[in-house]
Amino acid sequence: MQHAWPNTSDACLAITRPDRCGFTGMSRRTCGFRHATTNLCNGKRVVTSIADCGPQTDLFCGERACCGGTCAANRLLDLTPAAFSAIASLSAGLIPANIDVG
């Protein structure tokens, strides 16, 4: 179970630019670091490790995902299909989620 994180290195941060979406001071985490992602629609949780740089956060500033009255904005990580399918249907594509240190 893996994911991509936008601040794995200076080079990664220069590409992903989460600061353009208001995420300043984002923690530097390198490959292998673990995060827990919780689907805010159903409460399912998956723990994944960083495997790559991404997503290019600045391309998705303001993008929202909602279920019922629960919404979240801006992409901060990309889960692999296996990790995503542990917490939601792949057909959902994008879900509101919470990210914690795993």
Side-chain angles (χ1 to χ4, degrees):
M1 301 292 197
Q2 298 177 320
H3 69 278
W5 183 250
N7 190 8
T8 59
S9 66
D10 286 339
C12 176
L13 192 60
I15 294 168
T16 61
R17 298 300 307 266
D19 59 306
R20 291 183 178 161
C21 298
F23 297 105
T24 58
M26 177 179 263
S27 60
R28 169 76 39 93
R29 305 293 186 202
T30 57
C31 289
F33 188 87
R34 298 169 65 81
H35 287 101
T37 303
T38 303
N39 179 335
L40 296 177
C41 301
N42 62 22
K44 291 183 179 180
R45 181 176 183 260
V46 65
V47 177
T48 56
S49 61
I50 296 173
D52 199 2
C53 169
Q56 192 167 346
T57 307
D58 65 338
L59 296 180
F60 307 107
C61 290
E63 178 182 59
R64 293 170 46 94
C66 300
C67 60
T70 303
C71 296
N74 304 317
R75 294 185 198 185
L76 280 183
L77 61 77
D78 276 338
L79 297 170
T80 61
F84 190 90
S85 66
I87 61 172
S89 169
L90 286 176
S91 64
L94 188 65
I95 58 167
N98 186 56
I99 304 162
D100 293 311
V101 174

